């Protein structure tokens, strides 16, 4: 079976960590060419640190970690310590990483990799703000036609927003970057809050991960316990939405998801709705579809897949 070559762009974050664990737990299907840290949930210094902690937890100190954008393209940095804790990986006690980031920056790594690998053979998996990807596209417009697919966690439509009533965090942090990516022509698969709000870390689902009895599983359960507390309080739900692993799950089992090709535009001017993903689900605008927008998911199937892959670490 041909392994799928992927680049993960991420702002760990406990849910990012779960996604990366799922990816490293799937070596027969996924070839992780590199992992790029971006400022998002916490500043870049922490997302880089956290990314290396996750790699070492997964037994992958050989993985290549690159550091990208320190801040959004044109706006002040917005972070989410209130959700993820001061470090961005609060909830579990782990040693500082010993592996170092690569000397090459993430933007040049993304450009160089896409130019080197055969056209249409590298998938970009984005779990945070799209600043790194937009910067690479601006610096090297030729790479847009070389991307196999960009599978992203971000946006929301019927579910509204989570950082403002209209906007989801990853898009809100850097709406200008999102506008560039959605206008790039890259084949996009969008995992919005409409999907991830169905992926609740219920006690029954988390207990299956805990039952694995491995150190990575134990740490993930501790991270989830911390991560979900904010959303349980906010939504009054049994568990919190586990956003980012939806991206990796799509690569492994796309049949878990369903959606449709839609036009998606990004609001970047109105202060009331900046960062909103305007999804033309009912195709009333006449605008050309530019993303496959997912809306439904087999949540139990997703969590079975997560437990299975984490259990392989
Ligand atoms: O809105 C959820 C997204 O914002 C997730 O990617 C989470 O990690 C944060 O980055
Ligand atoms: Ca994230």
């Amino acid at each position: 079976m041909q392994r799928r070559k992927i680049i993960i762009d991420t702002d760990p974050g406990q849910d990012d960590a779960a996604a990366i664990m799922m990816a490293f737990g799937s070596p027969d299907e996924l070839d992780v060419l590199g992992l790029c840290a971006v400022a998002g949930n916490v500043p870049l210094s922490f997302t880089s640190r956290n990314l290396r902690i996750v790699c070492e937890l997964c037994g992958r100190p050989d993985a290549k970690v690159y550091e990208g954008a320190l801040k959004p393209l044109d706006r002040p940095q917005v972070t989410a310590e209130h959700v993820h804790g001061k470090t961005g990986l609060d909830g579990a006690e782990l040693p500082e990483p010993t592996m170092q980031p690569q000397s090459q920056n993430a933007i040049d790594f993304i450009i160089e990799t896409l130019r080197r690998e055969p056209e249409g053979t590298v998938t970009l998996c984005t779990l945070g703000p799209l600043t790194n990807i937009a910067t690479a596209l601006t610096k090297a417009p030729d790479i847009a036609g070389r991307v196999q697919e960009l599978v992203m966690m971000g946006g929301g439509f019927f579910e509204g927003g989570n950082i403002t009533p209209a906007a989801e965090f990853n898009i809100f942090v850097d709406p200008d970057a999102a506008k560039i990516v959605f206008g790039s022509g890259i084949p996009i698969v969008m995992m919005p809050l409409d999907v991830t709000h169905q992926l609740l870390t219920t006690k029954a689902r988390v207990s299956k991960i805990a039952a694995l009895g491995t150190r990575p599983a134990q740490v993930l359960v501790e991270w989830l316990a911390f991560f979900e507390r904010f959303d349980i309080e906010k939504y009054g739900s049994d568990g919190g939405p586990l956003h980012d692993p939806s991206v990796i799950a799509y690569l492994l089992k796309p049949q878990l998801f369903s959606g449709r090709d839609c036009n998606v535009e990004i609001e970047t001017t109105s202060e009331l709705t900046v960062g909103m993903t305007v999804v033309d689900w009912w195709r009333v605008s006449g605008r050309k579809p530019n993303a496959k927008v997912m809306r439904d998911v087999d949540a139990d199937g997703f969590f079975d897949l997560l437990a299975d892959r984490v259990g392989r670490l």
Side-chain angles (χ1 to χ4, degrees):
M1 174 190 199
Q2 183 72 23
R3 297 170 71 205
R4 188 158 181 173
K5 291 179 282 188
I6 68 172
I7 293 173
I8 297 176
D9 196 76
T10 175
D11 64 333
Q14 293 87 350
D15 61 319
D16 302 68
I20 295 161
M21 295 171 84
M22 185 187 266
F24 281 140
S26 309
D28 295 340
E29 295 108 318
L30 302 177
D31 178 6
V32 181
L33 300 181
L35 303 102
C36 301
V38 66
N41 286 318
V42 285
L44 180 67
S45 58
F46 275 113
T47 58
S48 170
R49 164 196 178 266
N50 296 345
L51 185 43
R52 287 176 281 131
I53 284 176
V54 177
C55 288
E56 291 183 344
L57 175 69
C58 294
R60 291 300 308 275
D62 61 302
K64 296 198 175 346
V65 169
Y66 299 85
E67 296 180 340
L70 276 163
K71 61 175 288 298
L73 295 182
D74 298 317
R75 293 171 193 265
Q77 185 177 358
V78 173
T79 52
E81 286 88 346
H82 61 291
V83 178
H84 299 270
K86 183 182 178 320
T87 70
L89 272 189
D90 286 23
E93 288 305 318
L94 290 163
E96 291 302 304
T98 54
M99 67 185 285
Q100 292 303 308
Q102 300 296 305
S103 55
Q104 184 179 37
N105 74 65
I107 308 322
D108 291 336
F109 163 71
I110 292 167
I111 295 169
E112 182 184 281
T113 304
L114 286 168
R115 284 178 171 164
R116 180 190 69 240
E117 297 295 330
E119 187 176 315
T121 64
V122 176
T123 295
L124 302 177
C125 303
T126 67
L127 314 178
L130 293 165
T131 316
N132 287 348
I133 309 302
T135 305
L137 285 167
T138 304
K139 186 172 181 181
D142 60 289
I143 64 173
R146 304 187 62 82
V147 178
Q148 178 177 17
E149 203 167 42
L150 186 151
V151 187
M152 60 167 294
M153 190 279 139
F157 192 56
F158 297 99
E159 275 294 291
N162 60 359
I163 187 85
T164 75
E168 176 277 327
F169 180 80
N170 287 339
I171 308 299
F172 179 76
V173 166
D174 201 340
D176 308 297
K179 191 175 183 73
I180 289 170
V181 171
F182 276 87
S184 68
I186 295 174
I188 292 173
V189 176
M190 179 177 162
M191 291 289 166
L193 296 178
D194 306 84
V195 163
T196 65
H197 278 184
Q198 299 176 56
L199 300 174
L200 297 179
T201 56
T202 63
K203 291 181 183 58
R205 289 165 177 165
V206 175
S207 64
K208 284 186 181 175
I209 298 172
L212 294 169
T214 63
R215 176 68 177 149
Q218 177 201 349
V219 170
L220 178 55
V221 166
E222 290 169 2
W223 278 336
L224 295 182
F226 183 91
F227 171 68
E228 70 182 16
R229 84 213 180 287
F230 178 82
D231 285 324
I232 289 171
E233 174 71 25
K234 175 175 172 182
Y235 299 112
S237 49
D238 173 10
L242 191 55
H243 306 283
D244 291 339
S246 61
V247 169
I248 306 301
Y250 177 79
L251 301 182
L252 299 172
K253 280 195 170 180
Q255 64 271 30
L256 291 173
F257 303 89
S258 64
R260 66 169 63 161
D261 291 331
C262 301
N263 175 267
V264 180
E265 300 297 334
I266 310 297
E267 174 58 61
T268 56
T269 54
S270 152
E271 279 315 301
L272 178 63
T273 57
V274 62
M276 181 176 182
T277 48
V278 181
V279 176
D280 186 5
W281 184 263
W282 303 116
R283 298 177 181 143
V284 294
S285 71
R287 293 190 291 260
K288 186 168 168 286
N290 58 349
K292 189 184 295 292
V293 180
M294 293 299 152
R295 190 176 180 190
D296 288 306
V297 60
D298 168 1
D300 286 328
F302 165 86
F303 278 97
D304 288 347
L305 178 64
L306 176 63
D308 174 64
R309 298 309 160 101
V310 170
R312 299 185 189 188
L313 292 172

